[in-house]
Amino acid sequence: MVLKLAQRQRTKEIFTRTVARDCSLRKSTRREFLALATVGIGAPLRFACIPLPSAVRNLPLKERMKMLLGPAPSTWLPLDPSKTTRGKEVIDGDVIRQCVTFNSPDEQGTPIQAYLMRPTVLQKSAPAVLCLHQTDCQKHGKEEAAGVFKEGDQQCPALKPHPYDSSVMYAKRLAQRGYITLAPGYYADMSDADYYPLKHAYSGYFRLNIRHLVRCVDFLENEKLVAKDRVGCVGHSAGGTHALYLSVFDKRIRVIVSCSGFGTFETYLDATWVQTAGGSGLRTYMPIIDQFYKENKCLPFEFEEMLPALAPRPLFLSIPLRPQAPPTPRPAKLPDPSDNDRFVYEVLMKSVDYAKHRYEHLGAGKCIEVLTTEYHEFPTNPVYPSDPAYNFLDKWLHRAAPATT
């Protein structure tokens, strides 16, 4: 009852504040109404005010997402074990790492490369986690997630040299905690255009990536020691974004961890760095977005719809108070966030509130957890000693302790 009253009050506040004489809405309030509709309130207002044809408004979320993701090949090839290659198993401390390659779902698709990792001692089935690397050179992203680097190694020395980030080698860390992990390579940076050249059937890399990541779930399910009903996904930055998109399309992902991978199209499209010639991201992932936005002054879906669509599956989100990467060395006293940083943070937290309403409506309020981080960073030790993201996976995937020798 309290939730329903709060929802009604929120709808009334938005309506009073935003409906002008011409019954039109600002971009931000269009987004709010879109979100309210996803939790079961405000739907009539959304349909009356958002300038989309009813044929589009009434489409399921996945279909509206495909309008921006673009077309994909009509065929879907099954996983072919005869085309799977496995490299030599390498013992790295208390985990075993193996480079694997398996076939794409597309007839002319590039084979998918990944690192498969597991504890050195594993005698029974264990939960699995798909580990998605952050925005970086694709040829090195999966190596970073798997911890395949030495102290002082530099990524992309010919393009933009910088140290590996040990905080995001979650494939290795989770394998040490008893999981079977898969760290695939996928397109996540404009400098990698030659690695996954787009075929004529694709218009953007998001569509390609999602299909390849679904294939990664196929691969994990085909592994004998994987508990097929306990598969999760974790990612930071671009990896966190892909974790959300993948989980909307593939319900075999039972637990989702998305760190600094959530935003709104409005704040993203208005960002200065996106407008510059060197800005990558939406225009590369979803080239259709510019044309659709110019023609309709809005988009067919928003992130606010994606989050409630994941309910009641357990969802962990980390939202950065400052969207920048942490400085090195990290200052003892952190500077105050800028006004713009605070504005973006508040917009994101408002979006999270919509998701929480949906989870509570389904009786799954305990299944969503939100953490505020100081910077655009993955919350792990030593800055976040409790390892909240890893503990969330432990809680909901009910990992089995590795067998002892």
Side-chain angles (χ1 to χ4, degrees):
M1 180 62 70
V2 174
L3 175 60
K4 289 183 178 181
L5 289 175
Q7 291 173 336
R8 290 172 185 169
Q9 179 63 27
R10 178 64 177 153
T11 305
K12 183 178 179 180
E13 290 175 358
I14 297 175
F15 182 79
T16 302
R17 189 178 76 242
T18 61
V19 178
R21 295 176 183 176
D22 59 356
C23 295
S24 64
L25 295 178
R26 299 190 305 272
K27 286 188 297 181
S28 61
T29 52
R30 289 196 191 106
R31 176 171 46 76
E32 287 180 333
F33 276 104
L34 191 63
L36 289 169
T38 68
V39 295
I41 57 176
L45 297 177
R46 169 197 166 193
F47 292 157
C49 301
I50 294 183
L52 279 175
S54 59
V56 176
R57 290 197 307 260
N58 297 329
L59 287 175
L61 174 60
K62 290 181 183 179
E63 296 304 315
R64 286 183 282 116
M65 291 176 68
K66 290 177 182 178
M67 296 176 70
L68 290 187
L69 294 174
S74 57
T75 58
W76 177 275
L77 300 180
L79 180 68
D80 187 349
S82 67
K83 295 181 179 179
T84 298
T85 60
R86 298 174 183 267
K88 181 181 178 180
E89 292 187 344
V90 177
I91 298 178
D92 184 3
D94 48 1
V95 301
I96 296 175
R97 182 180 70 249
Q98 184 181 42
C99 185
V100 296
T101 304
F102 43 94
N103 68 296
S104 162
D106 305 332
E107 290 184 354
Q108 304 297 325
T110 305
I112 300 169
Q113 301 176 12
Y115 285 103
L116 179 66
M117 306 185 76
R118 69 178 190 275
T120 52
V121 180
L122 187 65
Q123 298 177 353
K124 58 181 179 179
S125 63
V129 180
L130 183 61
C131 302
L132 309 182
H133 63 76
Q134 61 179 338
T135 303
D136 232 314
C137 291
Q138 199 282 333
K139 298 173 185 176
H140 300 271
K142 64 183 185 298
E143 279 77 13
E144 186 173 58
V148 187
F149 58 86
K150 298 178 181 178
E151 191 68 29
D153 282 355
Q154 297 283 311
Q155 291 210 55
C156 308
L159 296 172
K160 47 177 184 179
H162 59 283
Y164 281 94
D165 185 355
S166 60
S167 71
V168 293
M169 55 182 187
Y170 18 72
K172 181 176 181 179
R173 295 289 185 238
L174 288 170
Q176 292 172 329
R177 296 171 77 99
Y179 294 89
I180 297 173
T181 63
L182 186 70
Y186 64 93
Y187 178 91
D189 192 278
M190 292 187 73
S191 61
D192 302 325
D194 62 340
Y195 191 81
Y196 270 156
L198 281 177
K199 307 302 180 183
H200 68 278
Y202 289 101
S203 64
Y205 283 95
F206 249 135
R207 193 79 160 107
L208 171 72
N209 288 344
I210 291 172
R211 283 172 66 91
H212 278 207
L213 294 177
V214 170
R215 170 47 44 88
C216 290
V217 181
D218 295 340
F219 178 86
L220 281 174
E221 284 199 328
N222 200 51
E223 292 294 289
K224 294 181 180 179
L225 290 176
V226 168
K228 296 177 177 56
D229 60 341
R230 292 186 288 163
V231 176
C233 185
V234 60
H236 169 66
S237 191
T241 305
H242 280 82
L244 295 176
Y245 276 80
L246 169 65
S247 300
V248 170
F249 282 89
D250 196 333
K251 292 189 176 181
R252 293 176 297 176
I253 301 295
R254 303 301 179 91
V255 182
I256 306 104
V257 172
S258 175
C259 299
S260 298
F262 166 69
T264 67
F265 286 130
E266 180 185 348
T267 55
Y268 194 98
L269 289 171
D270 288 342
T272 303
W273 71 272
V274 178
Q275 305 297 335
T276 62
S280 61
L282 289 181
R283 287 184 173 81
T284 306
Y285 289 130
M286 295 183 289
I288 300 174
I289 194 169
D290 275 335
Q291 179 181 354
F292 195 102
Y293 191 75
K294 289 177 181 178
E295 292 178 355
N296 299 279
K297 305 304 179 184
C298 62
L299 298 173
F301 76 97
E302 249 292 5
F303 269 96
E304 282 90 340
E305 289 186 282
M306 293 173 58
L307 298 183
L310 300 176
R313 287 178 286 172
L315 172 63
F316 177 95
L317 296 169
S318 71
I319 310 295
L321 187 57
R322 301 168 184 82
Q324 308 84 17
T328 303
R330 196 183 188 96
K333 183 177 181 180
L334 300 179
D336 291 334
S338 67
D339 291 341
N340 183 67
D341 290 350
R342 289 187 179 278
F343 168 75
V344 173
Y345 173 78
E346 290 171 1
V347 170
L348 298 184
M349 292 305 294
K350 186 186 298 182
S351 302
V352 170
D353 287 341
Y354 297 140
K356 288 183 175 180
H357 286 324
R358 179 60 175 169
Y359 272 81
E360 292 172 359
H361 179 71
L362 295 177
K366 294 182 179 180
C367 293
I368 182 170
E369 186 173 320
V370 182
L371 172 73
T372 296
T373 56
E374 296 293 345
Y375 288 99
H376 182 87
E377 58 190 343
F378 187 79
T380 188
N381 192 48
V383 180
Y384 302 87
S386 63
D387 281 330
Y390 295 152
N391 287 333
F392 186 85
L393 288 167
D394 290 348
K395 176 181 178 180
W396 293 106
L397 286 179
H398 309 292
R399 68 182 175 91
T404 58
T405 55

